[in-house]
Amino acid sequence: TIPDVKSGGSPVIVITDIGKRLNDEYTFALLAALTDMNLMTPLAVIATTCPEKKRATLIRGVLDALGLPDVPVGVGSPGVTEYTLQSAEYARPSSCVFESGMDLMVKALRKSEDSSVQLVCLASLTDVAKLLHEHEDLFAIKVKEVVTIGSLKPLNHSKFVVPDGVSGDECDTAHATYVYERCQELKVPTFTISEILTEDLPFSSMIIEEISMTE
């Protein structure tokens, strides 16, 4: 079931390759705090990048430990590159994980108000590209903005902002380029956060250690 959007809570769908680095867990800790403050409403979280099903169990455990058991988790694409999964004791296999992350995202968008959903991608843009390609009209109507971690080529006189393939989108530059181009054509704003900035964020690892001790 897709959570109802609370008054004032900005709806968000998160796509993550959790298990590569701790920055994803940091993000979910922040998301839980913002949800508790009624500033955000997470509609769904999608696990992407092989082994995507195991990443989904890790997401389920993190969300449950952070007090977000009602947020549905879906299995996304295997991506184009397999990365080693750094698992944790709080990974939690669950029948509540949706086999189709695409169907889950579509369901969440259809339930949302027009131009309201923030699409936050902490991984390659493969799943965003597939959502945009297969459900472009729905995407254009419902998505408020796309937020991603990566970097862009220097701005010049070219028609589009172009990812440079150096950081967050390095494993699927083709899909990243497609997402940026179509979003600009559809007038859906994109926000790109430098991966270097996220690594320097003053966020204590003690928070993650406390999650691991949660029953």
Side-chain angles (χ1 to χ4, degrees):
T1 303
I2 304 298
D4 292 326
V5 177
K6 300 178 182 179
S7 176
S10 179
V12 59
I13 297 172
V14 181
I15 301 171
T16 173
D17 55 5
I18 191 171
K20 287 174 58 180
R21 297 176 295 272
L22 282 177
N23 62 330
D24 295 70
E25 278 91 338
Y26 294 166
T27 300
F28 288 120
L30 179 59
L31 178 62
L34 293 173
T35 301
D36 188 57
M37 297 166 65
N38 198 29
L39 294 176
M40 301 201 79
T41 299
L43 302 178
V45 179
I46 310 302
T48 185
T49 308
C50 187
E52 64 277 16
K53 290 185 178 181
K54 291 184 178 179
R55 294 187 197 280
T57 66
L58 186 56
I59 295 170
R60 181 72 276 158
V62 169
L63 294 178
D64 290 352
L66 289 170
L68 299 173
D70 296 330
V71 178
V73 174
V75 178
S77 74
V80 296
T81 304
E82 180 174 358
Y83 287 96
T84 301
L85 174 68
Q86 303 295 328
S87 192
E89 292 182 1
Y90 48 85
R92 186 168 301 175
S94 172
S95 59
C96 296
V97 173
F98 289 76
E99 285 297 318
S100 174
M102 180 64 66
D103 289 348
L104 182 58
M105 287 192 287
V106 169
K107 185 177 180 180
L109 290 176
R110 285 175 175 165
K111 186 176 180 179
S112 303
E113 298 291 333
D114 292 354
S115 300
S116 66
V117 179
Q118 292 177 303
L119 197 57
V120 177
C121 187
L122 307 176
S124 70
L125 288 165
T126 307
D127 292 76
V128 179
K130 290 183 177 180
L131 175 64
L132 181 52
H133 177 71
E134 297 177 14
H135 303 277
E136 183 175 285
D137 290 342
L138 181 66
F139 187 103
I141 292 171
K142 300 294 184 177
V143 175
K144 175 184 178 181
E145 59 194 20
V146 177
V147 181
T148 185
I149 296 175
S151 53
L152 305 173
K153 291 183 178 180
L155 297 178
N156 50 35
H157 298 294
S158 64
K159 184 177 181 180
F160 300 110
V161 173
V162 180
D164 66 5
V166 172
S167 54
D169 46 47
E170 78 279 2
C171 57
D172 197 351
T173 304
H175 278 134
T177 301
Y178 170 76
V179 169
Y180 276 96
E181 288 187 359
R182 288 304 292 143
C183 281
Q184 288 169 88
E185 291 170 341
L186 295 170
K187 301 188 185 307
V188 175
T190 59
F191 291 86
T192 304
I193 302 172
S194 171
E195 193 170 43
I196 297 174
L197 292 179
T198 63
E199 290 175 353
D200 290 338
L201 183 67
F203 196 101
S204 174
S205 62
M206 286 295 295
I207 294 177
I208 305 304
E209 293 175 10
E210 290 175 1
I211 293 176
S212 67
M213 294 185 289
T214 304
E215 292 293 336

